[in-house]
């Protein structure tokens, strides 16, 4: 998976720390399970639209829905730039 688009989300309580990422392919069961490498994975595969949430050791939270090519990432207010660089480095952005 590669990042093809990223932009900050406006009107969020967290402000500048929330970003919307779009990838070149949708989240699958397999790619979601790989997210365990980043932190604690909560995967709700029995939901009508299966969703996941990953809580990383640095406080970053990643949320997404299976079969969609996007996710929302909430970075910690401290060390936002470093956390963002780690996340984006994993997916080799195309933008």
């Amino acid at each position: 998976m590669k990042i093809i688009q990223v932009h900050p989300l406006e009107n969020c309580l967290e402000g500048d720390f929330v970003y919307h990422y779009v990838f070149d392919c949708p989240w699958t069961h397999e790619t979601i399970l790989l997210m365990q490498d980043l932190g604690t994975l909560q995967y709700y595969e029995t939901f009508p639209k299966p969703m996941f949430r990953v809580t990383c050791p640095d406080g970053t939270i990643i949320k997404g829905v299976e079969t969609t090519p996007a996710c929302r990432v909430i970075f910690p207010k401290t060390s936002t730039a470093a956390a963002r660089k780690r996340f984006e480095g994993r997916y080799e952005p195309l933008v």
Side-chain angles (χ1 to χ4, degrees):
M1 294 179 73
K2 293 187 186 225
I3 298 168
I4 59 172
Q5 191 178 81
V6 59
H7 60 86
L9 290 177
E10 296 180 21
N11 298 322
C12 289
L13 294 175
E14 292 87 1
D16 296 334
F17 310 107
V18 182
Y19 288 82
H20 180 79
Y21 286 87
V22 179
F23 297 88
D24 63 342
C25 58
W27 290 102
T28 65
H29 178 80
E30 293 77 22
T31 56
I32 292 170
L33 292 180
L34 291 173
M35 298 291 282
Q36 294 177 87
D37 293 346
L38 295 175
T40 305
L41 171 66
Q42 295 172 297
Y43 183 26
Y44 305 99
E45 58 187 313
T46 60
F47 283 14
K49 290 185 177 185
M51 63 168 287
F52 66 91
R53 174 188 166 120
V54 178
T55 305
C56 303
D58 67 3
T60 299
I61 298 172
I62 307 159
K63 299 178 180 183
V65 177
E66 188 175 326
T67 73
T68 66
C71 69
R72 176 184 291 206
V73 182
I74 304 166
F75 294 109
K77 292 180 178 157
T78 58
S79 69
T80 301
R84 186 172 172 193
K85 184 176 179 179
R86 272 191 301 277
F87 177 77
E88 292 178 359
R90 179 179 173 103
Y91 294 103
E92 303 175 28
L94 295 174
V95 292

